[in-house]
Amino acid sequence: MDVDEILKRYTTGERSFQRVNLQEAELTNANLRGADFSNADLRQTRLGKTNFNQACLREANLSEAILWGIDLSEADLYGAILREADLTGAKLVQTCLDKANLIKASLGGANLNRAKLSGCLLIQADFRPSSNQRTDLGYAVLTGADLSYADLRAVSLHHANLDGAKLCRANLSHTTLWGDLATDLSQASLQKADLSYADLNGAILRKANLQGADLTGAILTDADFQGAIMPDGTVHD
């Protein structure tokens, strides 16, 4: 099944495209809202600005796909493979990415507000701002996610749940590259998170919960811990 046939079937009301093979296909600016592409082979596809709102892409393979500006809001990408995918400026509001593989993915300027990323692999993922647009992970659920070596400079993680997450050697430092922006972890939950050797220079951690977190070797210069619950359970003044 090729792109033209999928679009034709979609316009006639069909929504089931499970296990379809569209490797290296181009499908930009299309409307596939609510379609089912679970287990589809979408490796190296170009899906920029396509509407996949409320679509199902469970366990689909989107490795190295170009997904800039794509709308995946409220979509189901449980267990999807997005290794080295370009999700710059993507809309991922309330998207389910639990257990997804996003190793080395580009998520600069993406909106992940209230997204679910429990158990997600985000090793070496890039979350830096894009065109002065901050990456929004506010209220996102990242419990148990692996963000080791991830670049999270200037990202908004306020109220995010990072309990048990791995942030070993992650970069969460303040930067002036896109304006005077600090990584915002205010009121985030980081209970038992691994922040060993992470760079938190200038990060905002006001009222964050760091109880049981590992801060071994972490860079904490100018970090704002006002009202935060520290690893030993004490409240920082």
Side-chain angles (χ1 to χ4, degrees):
M1 192 182 305
D2 60 17
V3 168
D4 290 338
E5 186 175 356
I6 285 173
L7 293 175
K8 183 178 179 180
R9 291 190 182 189
Y10 184 87
T11 58
T12 61
E14 186 172 341
R15 295 293 182 269
S16 182
F17 305 103
Q18 298 176 29
R19 301 185 183 279
V20 69
N21 187 340
L22 289 175
Q23 188 176 357
E24 298 184 9
E26 182 166 349
L27 188 60
T28 57
N29 295 292
N31 178 26
L32 291 162
R33 178 186 175 94
D36 185 355
F37 281 87
S38 53
N39 297 106
D41 187 348
L42 299 165
R43 287 174 292 167
Q44 299 177 319
T45 51
R46 291 170 291 282
L47 302 172
K49 296 186 178 180
T50 293
N51 183 2
F52 277 104
N53 189 287
Q54 298 181 350
C56 180
L57 292 106
R58 289 177 69 91
E59 300 183 350
N61 192 338
L62 292 130
S63 297
E64 299 179 40
I66 306 299
L67 307 168
W68 42 262
I70 195 170
D71 187 354
L72 286 160
S73 299
E74 300 181 61
D76 184 357
L77 284 97
Y78 179 93
I81 302 172
L82 291 135
R83 189 181 182 106
E84 297 185 63
D86 186 353
L87 286 147
T88 303
K91 296 177 182 177
L92 295 154
V93 179
Q94 296 186 60
T95 301
C96 176
L97 286 155
D98 291 340
K99 303 292 185 181
N101 182 338
L102 283 145
I103 294 174
K104 294 185 178 180
S106 298
L107 291 138
N111 188 345
L112 288 132
N113 192 275
R114 300 184 187 277
K116 299 175 183 177
L117 299 109
S118 292
C120 193
L121 293 177
L122 290 152
I123 302 166
Q124 294 185 47
D126 189 350
F127 291 90
R128 292 174 297 170
S130 174
S131 301
N132 296 320
Q133 180 178 337
R134 293 184 84 169
T135 305
D136 184 2
L137 277 157
Y139 293 93
V141 179
L142 290 136
T143 51
D146 193 339
L147 288 138
S148 303
Y149 295 91
D151 194 335
L152 290 148
R153 285 177 289 171
V155 172
S156 178
L157 282 152
H158 64 93
H159 292 88
N161 188 339
L162 289 143
D163 290 347
K166 296 178 182 178
L167 289 144
C168 178
R169 298 190 184 278
N171 191 344
L172 298 118
S173 63
H174 173 274
T175 180
T176 57
L177 292 176
W178 307 277
D180 192 18
L181 296 172
T183 303
D184 185 1
L185 285 151
S186 56
Q187 298 189 59
S189 184
L190 290 145
Q191 296 183 74
K192 297 183 180 179
D194 179 5
L195 287 153
S196 57
Y197 304 98
D199 188 349
L200 289 157
N201 179 26
I204 300 169
L205 289 132
R206 292 188 178 188
K207 296 185 179 180
N209 189 344
L210 291 145
Q211 193 161 13
D214 183 358
L215 291 169
T216 303
I219 300 171
L220 306 174
T221 310
D222 296 325
D224 185 353
F225 288 101
Q226 184 177 351
I229 301 173
M230 302 308 287
D232 62 1
T234 61
V235 178
H236 197 282
D237 56 22

